[in-house]
Amino acid sequence: MIIILILSISIILLISYVFHLKTQIKSIGKQLENISEGKTEKKIDISLLDKDIEYLAGNINRNINYQRQLRIDVLRNEQKLKDSIANISHDLRTPLTSIIGYLQLLEKSELSENQREKINILKKKSEILQNLITSFFEITIIENDSVHINLEKINLNNILSDALLHNIISFKQAGIEPIFDLPNTTIFVESDKMILQRIIQNLISNMLKYSSSYVNISLAQKEHVELSFANKVADPKKIDVNLLFQKFYTADRSRSSGSTGLGLSIVKLLAEKINAKAVAEIEDDILTLKIVF
């Protein structure tokens, strides 16, 4: 009888221990889930006094501390890299501007055809380098949240019309007759005027660089306000729309066009600053880049 009683008590204690152990494991799992989702930065807390559970929780907490410090170090090094790029870009802009200025002066002097051709090559390469340095500097400033945002009610029809008028000569020089599809009604958006102008100019510059025929620029108000820039592309299979807005991505792997692969990345970052979204779509041989408000 006593043996049965002892066995019964032992079984009850064992069941109770297993129950509390299972509850503690669930609690640890839930705490880990909250930590991984960024809901808390607290260390793992245990209520069951068990040597193995304490050892497990201790190892998990040490790993959490290590991962946290690793993230801090990565962010710190990333910030140092951004600051270095911004400083180097800034330091290179002044002498490069001087070089381009001297090349422009040389162009006006008496030169042989061979010399003029070499000066022209130097000037083009210098301008490509200047564009790259400026893009590096600009994207670093944007990522560092150093851009002042002034949100106001903006007439999008006027902003777009001004940009199209400003680029009409560039379209003619490129042999492109763009189609402008603007609504009769005025569309207003809450945005930053200078940032919006830069976004539109970057998208038009992208069209001028990569399109040789069909170009369509449109503005429409559907479920959202959509500003669209569509153009025909030579080889749509080379374009990955999922990568278009990533830094340094270019469909021209050889970069023979002089592309930095930063223009559309800047568009995406600036769009996010004004609570808009940059979207890329491709259908047949027509690439459409949209800013959705």
Side-chain angles (χ1 to χ4, degrees):
M1 187 71 180
I2 296 174
I3 295 173
I4 294 173
L5 182 62
I6 293 171
L7 283 173
S8 298
I9 293 171
S10 298
I11 290 170
I12 291 170
L13 289 173
L14 181 61
I15 291 171
S16 175
Y17 175 76
V18 170
F19 173 78
H20 284 93
L21 183 63
K22 190 175 180 180
T23 302
Q24 185 65 79
I25 291 170
K26 281 184 178 179
S27 173
I28 291 173
K30 185 63 178 175
Q31 290 177 73
L32 279 173
E33 185 180 332
N34 289 335
I35 291 169
S36 65
E37 291 177 357
K39 294 179 180 177
T40 181
E41 291 189 358
K42 288 174 62 178
K43 294 181 180 179
I44 296 296
D45 184 36
I46 59 172
S47 56
L48 183 66
L49 297 177
D50 181 272
K51 185 172 67 175
D52 293 328
I53 292 292
E54 288 177 2
Y55 178 75
L56 174 63
N59 279 334
I60 291 173
N61 285 333
R62 278 189 290 274
N63 185 262
I64 289 170
N65 287 336
Y66 173 74
Q67 295 295 332
R68 187 175 295 151
Q69 187 58 49
L70 196 63
R71 285 196 298 273
I72 291 170
D73 290 341
V74 168
L75 290 173
R76 187 182 292 122
N77 291 332
E78 191 176 274
Q79 187 59 48
K80 284 181 180 178
L81 179 60
K82 288 178 181 177
D83 291 341
S84 297
I85 291 172
N87 292 333
I88 292 168
S89 299
H90 183 270
D91 292 342
L92 287 173
R93 287 165 80 185
T94 302
L96 188 58
T97 301
S98 299
I99 290 169
I100 292 172
Y102 281 118
L103 288 171
Q104 288 171 342
L105 286 174
L106 278 171
E107 274 186 319
K108 295 177 182 178
S109 60
E110 292 185 9
L111 298 169
S112 67
E113 191 63 34
N114 185 43
Q115 289 173 328
R116 193 169 297 280
E117 186 181 338
K118 288 178 179 177
I119 290 293
N120 190 43
I121 291 170
L122 283 172
K123 187 182 171 187
K124 284 182 179 178
K125 296 296 183 184
S126 298
E127 287 171 349
I128 290 171
L129 182 58
Q130 186 182 48
N131 183 39
L132 178 61
I133 291 169
T134 301
S135 296
F136 266 129
F137 182 73
E138 186 173 3
I139 204 166
T140 306
I141 294 298
I142 296 168
E143 288 183 330
N144 281 346
D145 292 323
S146 302
V147 179
H148 176 67
I149 310 296
N150 180 31
L151 293 178
E152 57 181 322
K153 190 176 181 181
I154 290 177
N155 185 325
L156 196 50
N157 300 59
N158 288 346
I159 291 286
L160 186 57
S161 296
D162 289 344
L164 298 177
L165 188 62
H166 178 74
N167 287 278
I168 199 70
I169 294 175
S170 298
F171 277 118
K172 284 184 178 179
Q173 289 174 342
I176 298 172
E177 291 187 12
I179 300 168
F180 302 141
D181 187 8
L182 304 183
N184 294 324
T185 55
T186 303
I187 296 177
F188 290 92
V189 292
E190 193 78 14
S191 186
D192 181 290
K193 185 177 180 179
M194 291 185 66
I195 288 179
L196 195 52
Q197 287 172 332
R198 181 58 201 270
I199 288 172
I200 292 171
Q201 186 55 51
N202 270 29
L203 290 170
I204 290 176
S205 296
N206 188 73
M207 282 180 147
L208 288 165
K209 188 177 289 185
Y210 295 109
S211 181
S212 57
S213 54
Y214 174 82
V215 162
N216 186 306
I217 299 172
S218 63
L219 174 63
Q221 177 135 30
K222 301 175 183 176
E223 184 179 348
H224 302 281
V225 173
E226 292 186 2
L227 183 55
S228 302
F229 298 77
N231 62 273
K232 187 175 285 189
V233 291
D235 193 349
K237 291 181 180 178
K238 286 185 177 180
I239 298 173
D240 187 339
V241 292
N242 296 314
L243 300 177
L244 264 180
F245 294 106
Q246 288 191 12
K247 282 185 284 188
F248 307 113
Y249 174 79
T250 172
D252 175 19
R253 299 296 177 86
S254 66
R255 298 185 186 268
S256 57
S257 63
S259 172
T260 64
L262 291 172
L264 293 183
S265 180
I266 290 172
V267 165
K268 179 178 181 293
L269 289 170
L270 289 177
E272 290 169 353
K273 295 289 182 185
I274 56 173
N275 303 316
K277 184 169 65 172
V279 179
E281 300 171 355
I282 193 161
E283 186 174 349
D284 297 327
D285 59 348
I286 302 298
L287 172 67
T288 304
L289 303 179
K290 295 181 181 180
I291 303 299
V292 182
F293 297 89

